[in-house]
Amino acid sequence: MRVEIWSDIACPWCYVGKARFEKALAAFPHRDEVEVVHRSFELDPDRAKGDAQPVITMLTRKYGMSEAQAQAGEDNLGAQAAAEGLDYRTRDRDHGNTFDMHRLLHLAKEHGKQDQLIQNFYRANFAEERSVFTEGDERLVELAVEAGLDAGAVRTVLADPDAYAEAVRADEREAAQLGANGVPFFVLDRAYGVSGAQPAEVFTRALTQAWGERSPLRLVGQGDADACGPDGCAVPQHG
């Protein structure tokens, strides 16, 4: 079974939702038969690279809330994160463009390092003092190397704005086609969707239901036709 997760590194509920989903997945009896793929979704795609601002400022301008309201929201998120065993800085975080991080996640997918890299990005953005938005490409290189990627390959991707750009855009188009207008958005075997950072119990029910209702393979055609297998290929016999 495949679970696809549309998310953004700038999304705190994606950070919390990933932890809740993983709690459910860890207890799922068929855990080893579940493939998890992370898909791209930018919350602020029009923000220029390098244009970072404090999270509180972004929240007040984007949602029209007061600074006190914005800070209360961050404090609530900090409590939600702590309940899942996650570190979360409720003060002095910043917000910026995540496009390059999404491009690197597609590189990481090719090398089987995607989950580790997105977790590194989340940790750096939500729990550490150093910014992923203002320190330049070398900060992203550092986090990618920590996840097991080659530094040279990472720098090559970052130096080429077209590298994996279409893969990111394709994920975003697909999210729109699936009806996802927010993240996190979980899709199980293209049959079930779970929207938002739901409690672990909801993910447990979704995994169980999706697993139990997988469609068996239906063969088209009657009888066996010539084919190749482990013991070789069927050879036509001529009389």
Side-chain angles (χ1 to χ4, degrees):
M1 184 167 69
R2 170 180 282 200
V3 178
E4 297 163 279
I5 308 173
W6 272 264
S7 58
D8 191 15
I9 297 91
C11 165
W13 288 117
C14 295
Y15 179 47
V16 173
K18 181 176 185 291
R20 292 175 177 173
F21 168 74
E22 288 176 346
K23 183 181 294 184
L25 185 59
F28 187 56
H30 307 286
R31 167 65 186 92
D32 293 340
E33 297 174 75
V34 177
E35 176 191 14
V36 178
V37 178
H38 295 280
R39 301 291 191 191
S40 299
F41 190 110
E42 295 171 275
L43 291 172
D44 203 353
D46 296 326
R47 182 177 292 273
K49 180 178 178 179
D51 177 17
Q53 66 181 157
V55 166
I56 297 300
T57 302
M58 180 274 293
L59 292 172
T60 58
R61 292 178 179 175
K62 187 171 184 177
Y63 300 108
M65 59 179 63
S66 68
E67 288 193 8
Q69 290 172 322
Q71 189 58 64
E74 281 293 284
D75 291 340
N76 174 59
L77 277 162
Q80 298 275 354
E84 303 304 330
L86 300 171
D87 292 328
Y88 189 98
R89 295 177 65 238
T90 61
R91 302 291 191 279
D92 302 321
R93 286 197 309 107
D94 59 3
H95 172 85
N97 181 284
T98 58
F99 187 57
D100 282 348
M101 284 181 269
H102 283 293
R103 295 196 299 121
L104 290 179
L105 285 168
H106 281 277
L107 170 68
K109 181 176 181 293
E110 293 182 351
H111 296 275
K113 306 292 184 181
Q114 194 184 41
D115 190 74
Q116 183 58 56
L117 182 57
I118 197 170
Q119 192 61 36
N120 286 0
F121 286 157
Y122 280 145
R123 185 199 71 225
N125 184 37
F126 293 110
E128 298 181 354
E129 291 187 13
R130 295 175 60 193
S131 173
V132 293
F133 302 113
T134 62
E135 291 198 16
D137 288 349
E138 284 307 302
R139 177 65 171 139
L140 301 186
V141 173
E142 178 185 315
L143 293 167
V145 168
E146 183 184 327
L149 294 176
D150 176 73
V154 174
R155 291 191 180 99
T156 296
V157 170
L158 291 173
D160 178 5
D162 292 328
Y164 298 101
E166 177 53 29
V168 176
R169 299 305 182 212
D171 276 358
E172 293 173 337
R173 289 193 298 269
E174 196 164 15
Q177 292 167 0
L178 290 170
N181 53 17
V183 285
F185 188 70
F186 302 77
V187 176
L188 291 75
D189 258 0
R190 292 299 172 108
Y192 294 91
V194 178
S195 180
Q198 299 284 350
E201 294 77 14
V202 173
F203 290 117
T204 296
R205 290 199 298 271
L207 287 166
T208 301
Q209 187 169 356
W211 182 269
E213 296 185 13
R214 289 173 303 149
S215 298
L217 184 68
R218 297 181 181 180
L219 295 176
V220 177
Q222 300 296 322
D224 296 324
D226 294 334
C228 295
D231 298 323
C233 297
V235 178
Q237 301 296 315
H238 300 283

